[in-house]
Amino acid sequence: QLNVMESGGGSVQAGGSLKLSCKVFRYGGTDIRNCMGWFRQAPGKEREGLASIHSSGSIDYADSVKGRFTISRDAADTLYLQMSDLQPEDSAMYYCAVEFGIAWCSLGRLWEFNVGQGVQVTVSS
């Protein structure tokens, strides 16, 4: 069983930065392979996978955030998303997604994993 809890959303002006955090609580299970990632969804728009990191070390970014967002994790399985140069089009609900026991990560399937409640990010011009 997995519980996922995001924090760190908020409001910022264009060009600003925010850092999102995601704490993972895992109960049971022995397979340590995992994929963790972030996706977002704005009103009226489709979900967009932003960044993923696999326990093997592989990292992937969507073109829309490459060079501006950085995904990382610590030894306690807390996931982070450092967001820089935020723009109004980055405004959305941001979700953390985690799955254990898998050998792959896919930006287009993050929402199939265990997902948190989400945090709102609002960027004003």
Side-chain angles (χ1 to χ4, degrees):
Q1 182 180 353
L2 280 176
N3 287 327
V4 178
M5 183 179 301
E6 304 98 335
S7 61
S11 298
V12 66
Q13 289 191 327
S17 300
L18 280 174
K19 187 173 184 177
L20 306 183
S21 299
C22 172
K23 182 61 182 174
V24 179
F25 302 90
R26 188 186 187 197
Y27 307 97
T30 58
D31 192 336
I32 62 172
R33 298 174 302 167
N34 62 79
C35 174
M36 299 184 178
W38 296 92
F39 69 93
R40 67 187 177 190
Q41 188 166 26
K45 294 188 177 181
E46 294 186 352
R47 289 169 294 197
E48 180 187 15
L50 303 174
S52 67
I53 182 168
H54 192 266
S55 51
S56 64
S58 64
I59 293 175
D60 194 17
Y61 292 100
D63 288 343
S64 60
V65 303
K66 200 171 292 183
R68 300 189 300 125
F69 291 10
T70 302
I71 191 171
S72 62
R73 60 192 292 173
D74 64 20
D77 281 341
T78 299
L79 185 69
Y80 303 97
L81 186 68
Q82 176 68 53
M83 305 184 293
S84 303
D85 191 24
L86 285 161
Q87 300 300 317
E89 53 267 34
D90 293 315
S91 297
M93 284 292 289
Y94 283 68
Y95 298 89
C96 173
V98 178
E99 189 64 71
F100 275 78
I102 58 173
W104 54 269
C105 265
S106 173
L107 292 178
R109 296 183 63 181
L110 290 174
W111 37 89
E112 298 179 14
F113 297 167
N114 298 277
V115 178
Q117 294 298 308
V119 292
Q120 179 68 43
V121 172
T122 302
V123 185
S124 57
S125 57

